Amino acid sequence: MEEIDYNNLPEHIAIIMDGNRRWAKQRGLEASLGHKEGAENLKRIAKFANSIGIKYMTVYAFSTENWKRTEKEVSAIMKLLKFYLKDFLTSANNDNIKINVIGTDFKLNNEIKEEILKVEEKTLKDTGMTLNIAFNYGGRDEIVNATKKIAEKVKENEMSIEEITEKTIADNIYTAGQPDPDLVIRTSGEQRISNFLLWQIAYSEFVFSNKYWPEFSNEDLLETIREYQHRTRKFGGK
Ligand code: FPP
């Protein structure tokens, strides 16, 4: 297999971790077990990405639309988030991974909110990869929130309408201060964006994998990076 170029890694990789339920169904298991295996895989992939030098990773763990799933499935995903946040509290520092949960905390219970704050605080100074976990996240919702924040500043005379630029939007979304994703991966053969990082993906490269998320391996990640490295990025220029 062709080596990847470690001097030309994507700085930021975003992943739509799709196919947990199909993975479970294929094995005659309940959906929640697919999510459990998906969460385990997220831990493996995050550690591996950090170890090869990826600086930012953003993963789609729960969308604002996922509340429409059965109560049983929603509650299983909430439990997994809580479990892995606690797990990261003990292991993240060893790996130097900085955890950042992005999305709105509206509708999340207090216990989860506390766990989020704890792990973010504990890993704040870590200098390895930043892992953004998009949870109760929607791309349009993020832009609406940013718009409200900016409107508030205009209303309070902290800035004028003329001063609003693309940077103003970038500074008021959840990923403020981070580079946009270079590479977006979606697993399980689906090829749509599903309201993920709408502002940030303007110039991202997309790679789709047919593997279901729980079986997407370190080698599959390297394969997507290889494909990314074969592309020529133009950013609208020549
Ligand atoms: C998409 O597969 C996956 C999700 C909606 C949930 C992803 C959640 C995790 C990986 C676990 C979250 C845990 C942590 C630690 C953040 P799907 O359910 O839509 O599968 P399908 O497309 O086969 O139906």
Side-chain angles (χ1 to χ4, degrees):
M1 191 80 76
E2 184 195 340
E3 259 299 306
I4 66 166
D5 178 359
Y6 286 93
N7 295 315
N8 181 28
L9 287 172
E11 192 179 8
H12 186 166
I13 299 180
I15 308 181
I16 302 179
M17 308 181 288
D18 199 8
N20 290 346
R21 290 193 298 191
R22 275 167 288 168
W23 180 90
K25 199 165 172 210
Q26 205 179 47
R27 287 159 178 78
L29 304 171
E30 274 192 43
S32 61
L33 287 170
H35 295 311
K36 182 163 180 278
E37 200 49 39
E40 260 308 300
N41 199 38
L42 167 57
K43 191 172 154 181
R44 279 194 290 267
I45 291 280
K47 279 173 187 276
F48 178 67
N50 180 44
S51 76
I52 64 169
I54 302 298
K55 291 285 169 241
Y56 299 88
M57 178 169 270
T58 304
V59 294
Y60 209 1
F62 192 80
S63 76
T64 45
E65 288 72 36
N66 286 150
W67 293 103
K68 293 184 204 138
R69 297 196 175 189
T70 64
E71 207 184 310
K72 194 172 167 202
E73 192 179 341
V74 170
S75 123
I77 296 178
M78 294 294 155
K79 278 205 189 112
L80 281 172
L81 178 70
K82 218 162 34 182
F83 176 86
Y84 281 94
L85 286 174
K86 280 194 179 106
D87 185 58
F88 263 115
L89 260 188
T90 50
S91 69
N93 273 359
N94 307 329
D95 295 322
N96 212 12
I97 295 177
K98 182 169 164 176
I99 306 284
N100 186 34
V101 178
I102 64 170
T104 156
D105 64 10
F106 174 65
K107 274 170 103 171
L108 295 184
N109 74 36
N110 285 338
E111 210 186 324
I112 287 197
K113 285 192 222 173
E114 274 170 33
E115 288 302 329
I116 292 174
L117 285 177
K118 258 199 255 173
V119 74
E120 284 181 340
E121 200 174 301
K122 173 128 189 265
T123 62
L124 187 66
K125 295 204 174 75
D126 285 350
T127 52
M129 184 177 82
T130 296
L131 176 63
N132 298 310
I133 302 175
F135 202 88
N136 200 15
Y137 172 90
R140 288 184 173 177
D141 185 59
E142 178 178 37
I143 294 170
V144 168
N145 281 334
T147 308
K148 286 184 182 165
K149 283 199 251 168
I150 297 164
E152 193 63 35
K153 285 177 198 164
V154 172
K155 189 174 145 202
E156 300 298 325
N157 287 321
E158 286 168 30
M159 73 186 303
S160 69
I161 290 179
E162 291 69 31
E163 280 169 336
I164 299 174
T165 62
E166 290 188 7
K167 186 168 184 304
T168 318
I169 311 274
D171 287 346
N172 283 280
I173 54 179
Y174 302 129
T175 52
Q178 301 184 15
D180 288 338
D182 305 287
L183 168 62
V184 178
I185 301 168
R186 183 170 189 146
T187 60
S188 92
E190 309 292 336
Q191 302 194 352
R192 50 176 180 273
I193 202 62
S194 304
N195 203 14
F196 190 42
L197 305 178
L198 298 180
W199 176 270
Q200 296 90 331
I201 58 169
Y203 292 105
S204 305
E205 294 291 333
F206 286 77
V207 176
F208 300 100
S209 163
N210 285 327
K211 294 266 185 85
Y212 293 146
W213 171 252
E215 61 196 8
F216 185 83
S217 64
N218 294 347
E219 183 49 47
D220 292 323
L221 182 73
L222 292 177
E223 188 55 45
T224 63
I225 294 175
R226 248 177 236 122
E227 181 162 346
Y228 164 84
Q229 291 181 334
H230 284 131
R231 308 243 180 117
T232 315
R233 302 186 72 194
K234 298 188 180 135
F235 297 97
K238 239 184 135 194

